Amino acid sequence: MQEIHASQVRPPFYRDERVLGIFSQLLVVLIVVGMGLFFYSNMITGLREKHNVAISFSFLGQAAGFDIGESLIEYSRERTYLRAFVVGLLNTFQVAFLGIIFATALGIVIGVMRLSTNFLVSRIAAFYIDIFRNIPLLVLLIFWAQAVFFKLPRVAEAIILPGPIFLSNRGVAIPWGIPTDSWNSYLIVLGIGVILGAAVAWFLREQGKRTGRMPLITLWFLVTVAAVGLVGWVILPQPMTLDQPFLEGFNTQGGKILSQQFMALLSGLIIYTAAFIAEVVRAGIQSVSKGQREAATSLGLNPAQTLRLIIFPQALRVIIPPLTSQYLNLTKNSSLAIAIGYPDLFAVAGNTILNQTGREIEMFTLIMGTYLSLSLLTSLLMNIYNRRIRLVER
Amino acid sequence: MSENDAVEEIIICQDVCKWFGDFQALKNCSLRVQAQEVVVIIGPSGSGKSTFIRCINRLEEHQAGDIIVDGIPLTRDVRNIEQIRSEAGMVFQQFNLFPHLTVMENITLAPIQVRKMKKEEAQETAMGLLNRVGIPEQADKYPGQLSGGQQQRVAIARSLAMSPKIMLFDEPTSALDPEMIKEVLDVMQELAETGMTMLVVTHEMGFAREVADRIVFMDAGEIMEVGTPEHFFTNAQHERTKLFLSQIL
């Protein structure tokens, strides 16, 4: 009987699978680190010898000296570059946040319409998708700016929509709430409302676990908060007054003014991204096999129950990853704002600040880092959600 | 026909026709099934067997002829369609369990959502049914964690949870590995013995011979021959029936 030692025979090191694996990993690390060091030292020497500057972010503390068209926080040209940077960041954040919400809503509607058995409805959705998916975003944005919002009539001839909403060459004026002295007390009342709502939601959840019929928890949460809010509104002396815009002389007074640039950018981003989201939603719903719908139907579930309990939960798994990509695209695409004069992060930091200070390395590090952080944050949130709804197999 | 006969005959199909575009899938199919009867439908693939039983709970719409289930005419009236669906359970070739729900949730979903049953009650019923199909220990698993045979038994339990009067089986064992076919057929046989009215599309001739009260042979969208298993396997009349049986046996 021959003894077997096959596993103990060691091959020469240059044929050893494990040694080769470790060696190739090391090689890659060395190349990457080496190239990184080379470029970095090259940049530093270049900066020092040719321009006699070292990398430093201290210029951010200097006065900016330029105006910004619109800002969510208080800003003037005496404030620092850092403040200007934050103004741009908040403007980007604002347009991306609203854009994501509206594009998702519009995209879901169009995506579901696309699958309608009604020929007309489905063709309208298909037409929308075909048009807006195939026009470059930059063209769309400039169209919305130059052909629509910048062409609005003078204030005296403003287009008035119910609300009232005034559309004019000064922007879009919408009614807006103005907090009064009792506003802070009202915020406390709202806080109590949220706590009560959470309690109601918890109670319903527990009850749902017992009966197996999950009520619409989010709805009841919102109803509770709204009810408490309403009671607080009646008890407190007017926590907020409604400020409606009105025409006065050559301008609109009151309300909140949304600039033409902001409206053009937001409209363009929503309409463009919604076309992609619609296709994502359609693909998700279609990915659920026909048999699922048939099984639900033969069990007696109605179409609404089938969509809510069977189709959507399964479609979500397919929808979430590409939807995340669309959210990232929308956020990054908002940097095209520079083409229509909306002061977003890139327009403020990558154009104005950069031109004034000549700090390319520092500014691009900041800008890229900021966009990267925004995107990673979005991905993180979506990934957490995706993990929660994953399918269990084997 | 008197009123009593109508109650006795739980499924009545009269001259049912169905087209897919220009292709006629069902040609004047007529069949009467009595309560507690087990009818097995056989025939070559593409002969319209599945289409026929899918018409009975309106997964497909028939375009001509009459279908009456337990006295309820199957028309465009959604209330009738709903009632018929609640009387007829269906088991599919591909199981079609809901992959995002546990076995227990798969079975209790419809009783809770459609019949408005209490959760405890639905779960109790579900456990009873899982015992009946022999896999009570799988209640908390997801369908993806079960074998094909186990999945199909869950699918049968899921249909039974709605306490249907009729069970429709659309090739319930065709997607199973050979060693799992028997466990599903055993459950079906046990169900037949309890007096369930069953309409079964299958290629399992052993099952047909042993369990069926009558066998229906379909070919090219037509019902060619109906008879007892004895009649079929010893004394088939039609040439096409004989040809089919000679190929399959």
Side-chain angles (χ1 to χ4, degrees), chain A residues 298-299, chain B residues 86-91 106-108 110-111 115 117 122 125-126 128-130 132-133 152-169 187-188 190-192 194 196-198:
Chain A
S298 72
L299 284 169
Chain B
S86 74
E87 302 222 343
M90 179 125 188
V91 175
N106 262 279
I107 301 174
T108 58
R115 293 252 194 272
M117 202 185 267
T125 318
L129 289 168
L130 281 175
R132 204 166 142 189
V133 300
Q152 193 60 298
R153 288 189 277 164
V154 172
I156 293 173
R158 180 176 69 175
S159 290
L160 291 176
M162 292 295 279
S163 2
K165 289 188 180 167
I166 302 161
M167 285 288 280
L168 307 171
F169 291 85
V187 168
M188 288 169 62
E190 189 261 355
L191 191 60
T194 62
M196 176 65 75
T197 309
M198 289 164 61

mmCIF file of all heavy atoms in Angstrom, chain A residues 298-299, chain B residues 86-91 106-108 110-111 115 117 122 125-126 128-130 132-133 152-169 187-188 190-192 194 196-198:
data_model
loop_
_atom_site.group_PDB
_atom_site.id
_atom_site.type_symbol
_atom_site.label_atom_id
_atom_site.label_comp_id
_atom_site.label_asym_id
_atom_site.label_seq_id
_atom_site.Cartn_x
_atom_site.Cartn_y
_atom_site.Cartn_z
ATOM 1 N N SER A 298 -55.672 34.585 -8.354
ATOM 2 C CA SER A 298 -56.455 33.379 -8.132
ATOM 3 C C SER A 298 -56.754 33.185 -6.650
ATOM 4 O O SER A 298 -57.662 32.456 -6.292
ATOM 5 C CB SER A 298 -55.745 32.158 -8.714
ATOM 6 O OG SER A 298 -54.627 31.841 -7.930
ATOM 7 N N LEU A 299 -55.988 33.863 -5.776
ATOM 8 C CA LEU A 299 -56.299 33.801 -4.344
ATOM 9 C C LEU A 299 -57.372 34.810 -3.957
ATOM 10 O O LEU A 299 -57.790 34.868 -2.813
ATOM 11 C CB LEU A 299 -55.040 34.064 -3.511
ATOM 12 C CG LEU A 299 -54.051 32.910 -3.418
ATOM 13 C CD1 LEU A 299 -52.750 33.381 -2.804
ATOM 14 C CD2 LEU A 299 -54.633 31.763 -2.616
ATOM 15 N N SER B 86 -63.065 32.942 -5.499
ATOM 16 C CA SER B 86 -62.995 32.551 -4.091
ATOM 17 C C SER B 86 -63.459 31.103 -3.912
ATOM 18 O O SER B 86 -63.238 30.506 -2.870
ATOM 19 C CB SER B 86 -63.811 33.507 -3.228
ATOM 20 O OG SER B 86 -65.179 33.251 -3.404
ATOM 21 N N GLU B 87 -64.126 30.520 -4.909
ATOM 22 C CA GLU B 87 -64.562 29.118 -4.805
ATOM 23 C C GLU B 87 -63.554 28.164 -5.418
ATOM 24 O O GLU B 87 -63.578 26.974 -5.133
ATOM 25 C CB GLU B 87 -65.900 28.933 -5.526
ATOM 26 C CG GLU B 87 -66.971 29.831 -4.974
ATOM 27 C CD GLU B 87 -68.289 29.115 -4.843
ATOM 28 O OE1 GLU B 87 -68.445 28.054 -5.462
ATOM 29 O OE2 GLU B 87 -69.138 29.622 -4.114
ATOM 30 N N ALA B 88 -62.703 28.702 -6.323
ATOM 31 C CA ALA B 88 -61.776 27.825 -7.037
ATOM 32 C C ALA B 88 -60.338 28.160 -6.671
ATOM 33 O O ALA B 88 -59.867 29.257 -6.924
ATOM 34 C CB ALA B 88 -61.986 27.978 -8.542
ATOM 35 N N GLY B 89 -59.647 27.204 -6.052
ATOM 36 C CA GLY B 89 -58.225 27.390 -5.774
ATOM 37 C C GLY B 89 -57.431 26.928 -6.975
ATOM 38 O O GLY B 89 -57.892 26.104 -7.753
ATOM 39 N N MET B 90 -56.214 27.505 -7.122
ATOM 40 C CA MET B 90 -55.428 27.108 -8.282
ATOM 41 C C MET B 90 -53.989 26.799 -7.861
ATOM 42 O O MET B 90 -53.392 27.517 -7.067
ATOM 43 C CB MET B 90 -55.425 28.241 -9.308
ATOM 44 C CG MET B 90 -54.628 27.948 -10.547
ATOM 45 S SD MET B 90 -55.660 28.159 -11.995
ATOM 46 C CE MET B 90 -54.624 27.543 -13.275
ATOM 47 N N VAL B 91 -53.450 25.717 -8.420
ATOM 48 C CA VAL B 91 -52.054 25.350 -8.176
ATOM 49 C C VAL B 91 -51.334 25.368 -9.518
ATOM 50 O O VAL B 91 -51.819 24.798 -10.494
ATOM 51 C CB VAL B 91 -51.959 23.959 -7.525
ATOM 52 C CG1 VAL B 91 -50.506 23.532 -7.381
ATOM 53 C CG2 VAL B 91 -52.642 23.973 -6.160
ATOM 54 N N ASN B 106 -47.283 33.363 3.335
ATOM 55 C CA ASN B 106 -47.850 32.985 2.048
ATOM 56 C C ASN B 106 -49.249 32.411 2.225
ATOM 57 O O ASN B 106 -50.157 32.718 1.463
ATOM 58 C CB ASN B 106 -46.965 31.934 1.368
ATOM 59 C CG ASN B 106 -46.030 32.545 0.338
ATOM 60 O OD1 ASN B 106 -46.437 32.804 -0.781
ATOM 61 N ND2 ASN B 106 -44.794 32.794 0.738
ATOM 62 N N ILE B 107 -49.391 31.562 3.262
ATOM 63 C CA ILE B 107 -50.657 30.861 3.437
ATOM 64 C C ILE B 107 -51.708 31.769 4.078
ATOM 65 O O ILE B 107 -52.880 31.710 3.729
ATOM 66 C CB ILE B 107 -50.453 29.583 4.287
ATOM 67 C CG1 ILE B 107 -49.445 28.664 3.584
ATOM 68 C CG2 ILE B 107 -51.769 28.854 4.504
ATOM 69 C CD1 ILE B 107 -49.060 27.448 4.386
ATOM 70 N N THR B 108 -51.271 32.645 4.999
ATOM 71 C CA THR B 108 -52.261 33.454 5.723
ATOM 72 C C THR B 108 -52.625 34.748 5.005
ATOM 73 O O THR B 108 -53.610 35.388 5.368
ATOM 74 C CB THR B 108 -51.760 33.808 7.137
ATOM 75 O OG1 THR B 108 -50.519 34.504 7.021
ATOM 76 C CG2 THR B 108 -51.570 32.572 7.986
ATOM 77 N N ALA B 110 -53.968 35.666 2.013
ATOM 78 C CA ALA B 110 -55.304 35.820 1.430
ATOM 79 C C ALA B 110 -56.421 35.708 2.474
ATOM 80 O O ALA B 110 -57.333 36.535 2.476
ATOM 81 C CB ALA B 110 -55.503 34.829 0.291
ATOM 82 N N PRO B 111 -56.364 34.720 3.391
ATOM 83 C CA PRO B 111 -57.411 34.683 4.418
ATOM 84 C C PRO B 111 -57.508 35.990 5.204
ATOM 85 O O PRO B 111 -58.604 36.463 5.494
ATOM 86 C CB PRO B 111 -56.979 33.525 5.322
ATOM 87 C CG PRO B 111 -56.196 32.633 4.436
ATOM 88 C CD PRO B 111 -55.489 33.534 3.472
ATOM 89 N N ARG B 115 -60.484 37.449 3.237
ATOM 90 C CA ARG B 115 -61.579 36.961 4.097
ATOM 91 C C ARG B 115 -61.668 37.738 5.406
ATOM 92 O O ARG B 115 -62.537 37.474 6.225
ATOM 93 C CB ARG B 115 -61.360 35.490 4.427
ATOM 94 C CG ARG B 115 -61.468 34.554 3.249
ATOM 95 C CD ARG B 115 -62.741 33.731 3.325
ATOM 96 N NE ARG B 115 -62.708 32.616 2.396
ATOM 97 C CZ ARG B 115 -63.122 32.713 1.129
ATOM 98 N NH1 ARG B 115 -63.579 33.858 0.667
ATOM 99 N NH2 ARG B 115 -63.072 31.657 0.339
ATOM 100 N N MET B 117 -59.928 37.493 8.051
ATOM 101 C CA MET B 117 -59.812 36.575 9.180
ATOM 102 C C MET B 117 -58.822 37.162 10.189
ATOM 103 O O MET B 117 -57.919 37.898 9.825
ATOM 104 C CB MET B 117 -59.288 35.238 8.652
ATOM 105 C CG MET B 117 -59.586 34.041 9.512
ATOM 106 S SD MET B 117 -58.764 32.572 8.831
ATOM 107 C CE MET B 117 -60.048 31.909 7.797
ATOM 108 N N ALA B 122 -56.078 32.578 11.336
ATOM 109 C CA ALA B 122 -55.488 32.229 10.045
ATOM 110 C C ALA B 122 -54.242 31.374 10.237
ATOM 111 O O ALA B 122 -54.004 30.415 9.498
ATOM 112 C CB ALA B 122 -55.154 33.500 9.269
ATOM 113 N N THR B 125 -55.251 27.809 11.204
ATOM 114 C CA THR B 125 -55.664 27.088 9.996
ATOM 115 C C THR B 125 -54.443 26.704 9.175
ATOM 116 O O THR B 125 -54.329 25.573 8.692
ATOM 117 C CB THR B 125 -56.565 27.987 9.122
ATOM 118 O OG1 THR B 125 -57.459 28.680 9.980
ATOM 119 C CG2 THR B 125 -57.337 27.169 8.119
ATOM 120 N N ALA B 126 -53.515 27.668 9.022
ATOM 121 C CA ALA B 126 -52.334 27.428 8.205
ATOM 122 C C ALA B 126 -51.502 26.287 8.772
ATOM 123 O O ALA B 126 -51.029 25.415 8.031
ATOM 124 C CB ALA B 126 -51.497 28.701 8.109
ATOM 125 N N GLY B 128 -52.579 23.824 10.563
ATOM 126 C CA GLY B 128 -53.331 22.608 10.275
ATOM 127 C C GLY B 128 -53.053 22.122 8.860
ATOM 128 O O GLY B 128 -52.803 20.939 8.625
ATOM 129 N N LEU B 129 -53.067 23.077 7.920
ATOM 130 C CA LEU B 129 -52.844 22.716 6.516
ATOM 131 C C LEU B 129 -51.411 22.250 6.289
ATOM 132 O O LEU B 129 -51.171 21.306 5.535
ATOM 133 C CB LEU B 129 -53.152 23.911 5.612
ATOM 134 C CG LEU B 129 -54.644 24.256 5.506
ATOM 135 C CD1 LEU B 129 -54.845 25.609 4.850
ATOM 136 C CD2 LEU B 129 -55.367 23.166 4.718
ATOM 137 N N LEU B 130 -50.454 22.919 6.949
ATOM 138 C CA LEU B 130 -49.055 22.508 6.791
ATOM 139 C C LEU B 130 -48.852 21.099 7.338
ATOM 140 O O LEU B 130 -48.091 20.308 6.786
ATOM 141 C CB LEU B 130 -48.122 23.498 7.500
ATOM 142 C CG LEU B 130 -47.838 24.796 6.734
ATOM 143 C CD1 LEU B 130 -47.003 25.753 7.568
ATOM 144 C CD2 LEU B 130 -47.135 24.495 5.421
ATOM 145 N N ARG B 132 -51.143 18.864 7.285
ATOM 146 C CA ARG B 132 -51.802 18.001 6.320
ATOM 147 C C ARG B 132 -50.888 17.709 5.127
ATOM 148 O O ARG B 132 -50.862 16.602 4.616
ATOM 149 C CB ARG B 132 -53.077 18.700 5.856
ATOM 150 C CG ARG B 132 -54.117 17.750 5.338
ATOM 151 C CD ARG B 132 -55.427 18.476 5.227
ATOM 152 N NE ARG B 132 -56.126 18.033 4.047
ATOM 153 C CZ ARG B 132 -57.215 18.618 3.591
ATOM 154 N NH1 ARG B 132 -57.706 19.690 4.208
ATOM 155 N NH2 ARG B 132 -57.813 18.158 2.520
ATOM 156 N N VAL B 133 -50.123 18.726 4.684
ATOM 157 C CA VAL B 133 -49.228 18.487 3.547
ATOM 158 C C VAL B 133 -47.842 18.028 4.029
ATOM 159 O O VAL B 133 -46.929 17.871 3.223
ATOM 160 C CB VAL B 133 -49.086 19.726 2.624
ATOM 161 C CG1 VAL B 133 -50.429 20.120 2.062
ATOM 162 C CG2 VAL B 133 -48.452 20.882 3.367
ATOM 163 N N GLN B 152 -44.295 23.170 -3.748
ATOM 164 C CA GLN B 152 -45.597 22.882 -4.342
ATOM 165 C C GLN B 152 -46.607 22.483 -3.269
ATOM 166 O O GLN B 152 -47.787 22.815 -3.362
ATOM 167 C CB GLN B 152 -45.457 21.796 -5.414
ATOM 168 C CG GLN B 152 -46.656 21.634 -6.317
ATOM 169 C CD GLN B 152 -46.999 22.886 -7.091
ATOM 170 O OE1 GLN B 152 -47.325 23.929 -6.504
ATOM 171 N NE2 GLN B 152 -46.931 22.831 -8.408
ATOM 172 N N ARG B 153 -46.125 21.800 -2.215
ATOM 173 C CA ARG B 153 -47.055 21.441 -1.142
ATOM 174 C C ARG B 153 -47.515 22.689 -0.386
ATOM 175 O O ARG B 153 -48.672 22.781 0.018
ATOM 176 C CB ARG B 153 -46.392 20.434 -0.199
ATOM 177 C CG ARG B 153 -46.266 19.057 -0.870
ATOM 178 C CD ARG B 153 -45.817 18.005 0.098
ATOM 179 N NE ARG B 153 -44.374 18.006 0.275
ATOM 180 C CZ ARG B 153 -43.760 17.397 1.289
ATOM 181 N NH1 ARG B 153 -44.466 16.796 2.222
ATOM 182 N NH2 ARG B 153 -42.454 17.424 1.373
ATOM 183 N N VAL B 154 -46.604 23.664 -0.227
ATOM 184 C CA VAL B 154 -47.016 24.936 0.386
ATOM 185 C C VAL B 154 -48.056 25.618 -0.504
ATOM 186 O O VAL B 154 -49.054 26.153 -0.018
ATOM 187 C CB VAL B 154 -45.806 25.879 0.590
ATOM 188 C CG1 VAL B 154 -46.277 27.266 1.030
ATOM 189 C CG2 VAL B 154 -44.843 25.305 1.611
ATOM 190 N N ALA B 155 -47.826 25.569 -1.821
ATOM 191 C CA ALA B 155 -48.763 26.212 -2.752
ATOM 192 C C ALA B 155 -50.149 25.577 -2.635
ATOM 193 O O ALA B 155 -51.172 26.276 -2.682
ATOM 194 C CB ALA B 155 -48.251 26.106 -4.184
ATOM 195 N N ILE B 156 -50.182 24.250 -2.456
ATOM 196 C CA ILE B 156 -51.481 23.580 -2.282
ATOM 197 C C ILE B 156 -52.124 24.046 -0.976
ATOM 198 O O ILE B 156 -53.302 24.398 -0.940
ATOM 199 C CB ILE B 156 -51.297 22.042 -2.300
ATOM 200 C CG1 ILE B 156 -50.843 21.592 -3.698
ATOM 201 C CG2 ILE B 156 -52.597 21.345 -1.910
ATOM 202 C CD1 ILE B 156 -50.474 20.122 -3.795
ATOM 203 N N ALA B 157 -51.321 24.109 0.097
ATOM 204 C CA ALA B 157 -51.844 24.572 1.388
ATOM 205 C C ALA B 157 -52.364 26.005 1.275
ATOM 206 O O ALA B 157 -53.401 26.350 1.837
ATOM 207 C CB ALA B 157 -50.754 24.484 2.452
ATOM 208 N N ARG B 158 -51.631 26.830 0.509
ATOM 209 C CA ARG B 158 -52.042 28.226 0.348
ATOM 210 C C ARG B 158 -53.413 28.320 -0.315
ATOM 211 O O ARG B 158 -54.258 29.119 0.099
ATOM 212 C CB ARG B 158 -50.995 28.967 -0.496
ATOM 213 C CG ARG B 158 -51.312 30.417 -0.727
ATOM 214 C CD ARG B 158 -50.215 31.126 -1.475
ATOM 215 N NE ARG B 158 -50.132 30.677 -2.862
ATOM 216 C CZ ARG B 158 -49.306 31.213 -3.763
ATOM 217 N NH1 ARG B 158 -48.491 32.188 -3.398
ATOM 218 N NH2 ARG B 158 -49.290 30.771 -4.997
ATOM 219 N N SER B 159 -53.648 27.485 -1.337
ATOM 220 C CA SER B 159 -54.953 27.497 -1.992
ATOM 221 C C SER B 159 -56.035 26.987 -1.054
ATOM 222 O O SER B 159 -57.133 27.544 -0.997
ATOM 223 C CB SER B 159 -54.934 26.623 -3.240
ATOM 224 O OG SER B 159 -54.140 27.225 -4.219
ATOM 225 N N LEU B 160 -55.708 25.932 -0.309
ATOM 226 C CA LEU B 160 -56.716 25.336 0.569
ATOM 227 C C LEU B 160 -57.122 26.282 1.695
ATOM 228 O O LEU B 160 -58.221 26.194 2.224
ATOM 229 C CB LEU B 160 -56.183 24.025 1.165
ATOM 230 C CG LEU B 160 -56.023 22.870 0.172
ATOM 231 C CD1 LEU B 160 -55.401 21.661 0.856
ATOM 232 C CD2 LEU B 160 -57.376 22.499 -0.431
ATOM 233 N N ALA B 161 -56.217 27.212 2.055
ATOM 234 C CA ALA B 161 -56.504 28.133 3.155
ATOM 235 C C ALA B 161 -57.727 28.995 2.866
ATOM 236 O O ALA B 161 -58.353 29.515 3.777
ATOM 237 C CB ALA B 161 -55.295 29.021 3.434
ATOM 238 N N MET B 162 -58.064 29.157 1.590
ATOM 239 C CA MET B 162 -59.250 29.942 1.240
ATOM 240 C C MET B 162 -60.499 29.060 1.207
ATOM 241 O O MET B 162 -61.547 29.480 0.721
ATOM 242 C CB MET B 162 -59.045 30.619 -0.113
ATOM 243 C CG MET B 162 -57.986 31.712 -0.106
ATOM 244 S SD MET B 162 -58.445 33.105 0.934
ATOM 245 C CE MET B 162 -59.551 33.995 -0.160
ATOM 246 N N SER B 163 -60.399 27.838 1.726
ATOM 247 C CA SER B 163 -61.467 26.833 1.706
ATOM 248 C C SER B 163 -62.266 26.836 0.400
ATOM 249 O O SER B 163 -63.461 27.103 0.394
ATOM 250 C CB SER B 163 -62.430 26.995 2.890
ATOM 251 O OG SER B 163 -62.117 28.082 3.688
ATOM 252 N N PRO B 164 -61.577 26.511 -0.705
ATOM 253 C CA PRO B 164 -62.279 26.488 -1.984
ATOM 254 C C PRO B 164 -63.125 25.218 -2.119
ATOM 255 O O PRO B 164 -62.884 24.228 -1.433
ATOM 256 C CB PRO B 164 -61.131 26.465 -3.000
ATOM 257 C CG PRO B 164 -60.016 25.783 -2.289
ATOM 258 C CD PRO B 164 -60.158 26.129 -0.836
ATOM 259 N N LYS B 165 -64.136 25.286 -3.006
ATOM 260 C CA LYS B 165 -64.948 24.103 -3.271
ATOM 261 C C LYS B 165 -64.335 23.283 -4.396
ATOM 262 O O LYS B 165 -64.639 22.104 -4.553
ATOM 263 C CB LYS B 165 -66.363 24.523 -3.685
ATOM 264 C CG LYS B 165 -67.171 25.086 -2.560
ATOM 265 C CD LYS B 165 -68.603 25.293 -3.014
ATOM 266 C CE LYS B 165 -69.447 25.871 -1.898
ATOM 267 N NZ LYS B 165 -70.734 26.367 -2.406
ATOM 268 N N ILE B 166 -63.526 23.961 -5.211
ATOM 269 C CA ILE B 166 -62.929 23.319 -6.378
ATOM 270 C C ILE B 166 -61.432 23.599 -6.359
ATOM 271 O O ILE B 166 -61.017 24.698 -5.991
ATOM 272 C CB ILE B 166 -63.504 23.939 -7.674
ATOM 273 C CG1 ILE B 166 -65.017 23.802 -7.707
ATOM 274 C CG2 ILE B 166 -62.865 23.320 -8.908
ATOM 275 C CD1 ILE B 166 -65.666 24.758 -8.677
ATOM 276 N N MET B 167 -60.636 22.604 -6.734
ATOM 277 C CA MET B 167 -59.207 22.870 -6.892
ATOM 278 C C MET B 167 -58.801 22.615 -8.335
ATOM 279 O O MET B 167 -59.102 21.561 -8.897
ATOM 280 C CB MET B 167 -58.385 21.958 -5.957
ATOM 281 C CG MET B 167 -58.426 22.381 -4.497
ATOM 282 S SD MET B 167 -57.482 23.888 -4.170
ATOM 283 C CE MET B 167 -55.822 23.213 -4.105
ATOM 284 N N LEU B 168 -58.114 23.608 -8.912
ATOM 285 C CA LEU B 168 -57.624 23.472 -10.280
ATOM 286 C C LEU B 168 -56.111 23.260 -10.213
ATOM 287 O O LEU B 168 -55.403 24.027 -9.573
ATOM 288 C CB LEU B 168 -57.931 24.746 -11.085
ATOM 289 C CG LEU B 168 -59.385 25.218 -11.076
ATOM 290 C CD1 LEU B 168 -59.499 26.603 -11.712
ATOM 291 C CD2 LEU B 168 -60.275 24.226 -11.816
ATOM 292 N N PHE B 169 -55.621 22.222 -10.852
ATOM 293 C CA PHE B 169 -54.175 21.942 -10.853
ATOM 294 C C PHE B 169 -53.654 22.047 -12.280
ATOM 295 O O PHE B 169 -54.098 21.308 -13.153
ATOM 296 C CB PHE B 169 -53.897 20.531 -10.326
ATOM 297 C CG PHE B 169 -54.187 20.363 -8.856
ATOM 298 C CD1 PHE B 169 -55.469 20.059 -8.419
ATOM 299 C CD2 PHE B 169 -53.191 20.502 -7.915
ATOM 300 C CE1 PHE B 169 -55.744 19.900 -7.063
ATOM 301 C CE2 PHE B 169 -53.450 20.339 -6.563
ATOM 302 C CZ PHE B 169 -54.728 20.044 -6.133
ATOM 303 N N VAL B 187 -50.163 14.080 -1.699
ATOM 304 C CA VAL B 187 -51.006 15.115 -1.097
ATOM 305 C C VAL B 187 -52.284 15.278 -1.920
ATOM 306 O O VAL B 187 -53.385 15.397 -1.371
ATOM 307 C CB VAL B 187 -50.236 16.452 -1.013
ATOM 308 C CG1 VAL B 187 -51.176 17.587 -0.671
ATOM 309 C CG2 VAL B 187 -49.127 16.360 0.016
ATOM 310 N N MET B 188 -52.130 15.248 -3.251
ATOM 311 C CA MET B 188 -53.307 15.430 -4.112
ATOM 312 C C MET B 188 -54.277 14.258 -3.963
ATOM 313 O O MET B 188 -55.497 14.438 -3.952
ATOM 314 C CB MET B 188 -52.862 15.574 -5.572
ATOM 315 C CG MET B 188 -52.182 16.910 -5.839
ATOM 316 S SD MET B 188 -51.377 16.970 -7.442
ATOM 317 C CE MET B 188 -52.761 16.734 -8.537
ATOM 318 N N GLU B 190 -54.639 12.369 -1.335
ATOM 319 C CA GLU B 190 -55.293 12.496 -0.030
ATOM 320 C C GLU B 190 -56.439 13.514 -0.117
ATOM 321 O O GLU B 190 -57.515 13.316 0.424
ATOM 322 C CB GLU B 190 -54.247 12.919 1.012
ATOM 323 C CG GLU B 190 -54.713 12.883 2.434
ATOM 324 C CD GLU B 190 -55.115 14.247 2.965
ATOM 325 O OE1 GLU B 190 -54.944 15.260 2.256
ATOM 326 O OE2 GLU B 190 -55.611 14.297 4.085
ATOM 327 N N LEU B 191 -56.170 14.583 -0.868
ATOM 328 C CA LEU B 191 -57.172 15.640 -1.040
ATOM 329 C C LEU B 191 -58.385 15.091 -1.784
ATOM 330 O O LEU B 191 -59.541 15.377 -1.423
ATOM 331 C CB LEU B 191 -56.534 16.795 -1.825
ATOM 332 C CG LEU B 191 -57.298 18.102 -1.905
ATOM 333 C CD1 LEU B 191 -57.529 18.668 -0.516
ATOM 334 C CD2 LEU B 191 -56.523 19.096 -2.749
ATOM 335 N N ALA B 192 -58.126 14.281 -2.815
ATOM 336 C CA ALA B 192 -59.220 13.690 -3.596
ATOM 337 C C ALA B 192 -60.067 12.790 -2.705
ATOM 338 O O ALA B 192 -61.299 12.770 -2.806
ATOM 339 C CB ALA B 192 -58.657 12.905 -4.773
ATOM 340 N N THR B 194 -60.724 13.168 0.363
ATOM 341 C CA THR B 194 -61.596 13.920 1.267
ATOM 342 C C THR B 194 -62.813 14.474 0.538
ATOM 343 O O THR B 194 -63.636 15.143 1.144
ATOM 344 C CB THR B 194 -60.857 15.107 1.910
ATOM 345 O OG1 THR B 194 -60.459 16.004 0.864
ATOM 346 C CG2 THR B 194 -59.634 14.656 2.685
ATOM 347 N N MET B 196 -62.785 16.496 -2.338
ATOM 348 C CA MET B 196 -62.610 17.765 -3.046
ATOM 349 C C MET B 196 -62.891 17.572 -4.542
ATOM 350 O O MET B 196 -62.492 16.558 -5.117
ATOM 351 C CB MET B 196 -61.165 18.248 -2.841
ATOM 352 C CG MET B 196 -60.785 19.515 -3.601
ATOM 353 S SD MET B 196 -61.682 20.974 -3.074
ATOM 354 C CE MET B 196 -60.865 21.335 -1.522
ATOM 355 N N THR B 197 -63.577 18.533 -5.123
ATOM 356 C CA THR B 197 -63.747 18.520 -6.572
ATOM 357 C C THR B 197 -62.439 18.987 -7.193
ATOM 358 O O THR B 197 -61.933 20.050 -6.844
ATOM 359 C CB THR B 197 -64.870 19.494 -6.985
ATOM 360 O OG1 THR B 197 -66.018 19.214 -6.207
ATOM 361 C CG2 THR B 197 -65.168 19.376 -8.462
ATOM 362 N N MET B 198 -61.883 18.185 -8.090
ATOM 363 C CA MET B 198 -60.570 18.532 -8.633
ATOM 364 C C MET B 198 -60.552 18.426 -10.143
ATOM 365 O O MET B 198 -61.111 17.496 -10.725
ATOM 366 C CB MET B 198 -59.484 17.616 -8.039
ATOM 367 C CG MET B 198 -59.194 17.909 -6.576
ATOM 368 S SD MET B 198 -58.297 16.611 -5.702
ATOM 369 C CE MET B 198 -56.785 16.512 -6.603
#
